[in-house]
Amino acid sequence: MRILIVEDEEKLAQSIKKGLEAKGHAVDYVLDGQEGEQRAEMFADNYDLLILDLMLPKKNGFEVCKSLRDKGLTFPILILTARDTIEDKVLVLDNGADDYLVKPFSFEELSARMRALMRRPTDALPTELQIKDLRLNPSTREVYRGEKKIDLTLKEFEMLNFLMRHPGQVKEREEIFTHLWDFASNALSNVIDVHMKNLRKKIDDGYDEKLLETVRGVGYKIEG
């Protein structure tokens, strides 16, 4: 999952980023509302979730949230706020946010709120993704081919998850990289090929039917 954090407390933003990356997510952060809105709008197809502070320089979270919804962007928005009055909470939700979290909060609670948002019907992932005899559970992060459990690294899991959400579609290497690594990443472009080689060994080796396919000069796809 790719996440954008808009939070002007840089230490907090970095802490959240570090925790989410440890769970295998790609995370970017910006420090003011104006840049956050521009980034979210420009890369709307890449982000799965926006974590948005309310009290931001240049443009506050209320305005950013309403503006993004007015432009038709539908990814989940989780608000971070130090304001916990009923009026503020109602205003947050009325401006298009999906949920809010009052500061200070624990990382475990943030993770739980994120999981709940991604399970909601309008934007949710299926409980389980399945292609042929390959099954992936986004919540438990378990992968099976037939009855065999397959152990994947965090990035391998996210790559397979991304491909299985788009069965039969060719995904360009750049698109995969953009979805799984943050903008500050210095990873070499061949990192996709390396991860795919390892993923193919785990998913396809030993099976007559191969599910992962390389489209030469373009990218990769998983058979639908």
Side-chain angles (χ1 to χ4, degrees):
M1 187 162 66
R2 182 149 191 185
I3 301 159
L4 175 62
I5 301 169
V6 186
E7 166 62 66
D8 64 329
E9 296 180 49
E10 188 162 13
K11 287 185 178 179
L12 176 58
Q14 289 175 341
S15 176
I16 297 173
K17 173 181 169 72
K18 182 178 179 180
L20 293 176
E21 286 179 337
K23 290 182 173 291
H25 303 301
V27 185
D28 303 304
Y29 74 85
V30 297
L31 302 174
D32 69 74
Q34 183 175 306
E35 184 179 357
E37 181 179 337
Q38 292 171 349
R39 177 73 67 87
E41 184 178 358
M42 186 177 300
F43 299 100
D45 291 339
N46 292 322
Y47 287 120
D48 300 292
L49 175 70
L50 172 62
I51 297 176
L52 178 65
D53 186 32
L54 275 189
M55 305 308 293
L56 293 165
K58 297 187 179 180
K59 195 167 188 177
N60 68 47
F62 291 115
E63 296 170 322
V64 172
C65 187
K66 185 176 187 305
S67 178
L68 291 175
R69 292 309 193 214
D70 288 344
K71 292 172 182 174
L73 303 184
T74 60
F75 45 61
I77 298 177
L78 173 61
I79 294 290
L80 305 181
T81 178
R83 301 164 61 170
D84 61 351
T85 67
I86 295 298
E87 292 78 8
D88 285 329
K89 293 173 182 177
V90 170
L91 186 58
V92 162
L93 297 174
D94 283 347
N95 275 278
D98 296 277
D99 200 358
Y100 58 85
L101 193 55
V102 177
K103 298 179 180 179
F105 54 85
S106 69
F107 183 76
E108 289 73 18
E109 183 178 7
L110 173 65
S111 297
R113 296 294 184 98
M114 288 172 51
R115 289 193 297 272
L117 284 178
M118 298 311 293
R119 286 196 298 267
R120 290 187 179 178
T122 55
D123 296 286
L125 292 175
T127 302
E128 184 175 85
L129 300 172
Q130 181 163 1
I131 295 176
K132 307 289 179 65
D133 60 345
L134 179 65
R135 293 175 288 120
L136 180 149
N137 189 309
S139 298
T140 64
R141 304 183 73 84
E142 292 180 330
V143 176
Y144 286 86
R145 182 144 193 197
E147 298 302 315
K148 179 185 177 183
K149 185 177 181 180
I150 299 172
D151 293 322
L152 301 178
T153 67
L154 291 174
K155 286 301 183 187
E156 288 167 359
F157 180 89
E158 292 298 336
M159 184 179 292
L160 182 62
N161 187 16
F162 181 61
L163 292 174
M164 289 184 71
R165 287 168 62 186
H166 304 90
Q169 299 179 27
V170 179
K171 290 299 177 181
E172 296 181 2
R173 293 163 73 254
E174 182 178 351
E175 183 180 1
I176 297 172
F177 185 87
T178 299
H179 193 82
L180 299 182
W181 277 267
D182 62 59
F183 285 106
S185 175
N186 293 318
L188 298 175
S189 59
N190 68 353
V191 70
I192 299 298
D193 301 322
V194 173
H195 281 291
M196 183 57 67
K197 180 180 179 181
N198 294 333
L199 186 58
R200 183 179 279 116
K201 285 181 180 178
K202 296 178 180 181
I203 298 299
D204 282 341
D205 278 7
Y207 295 90
D208 293 333
E209 186 173 22
K210 310 301 182 185
L211 299 180
L212 294 168
E213 179 181 341
T214 299
V215 181
R216 190 174 298 278
V218 181
Y220 300 96
K221 72 173 182 177
I222 189 164
E223 293 297 338

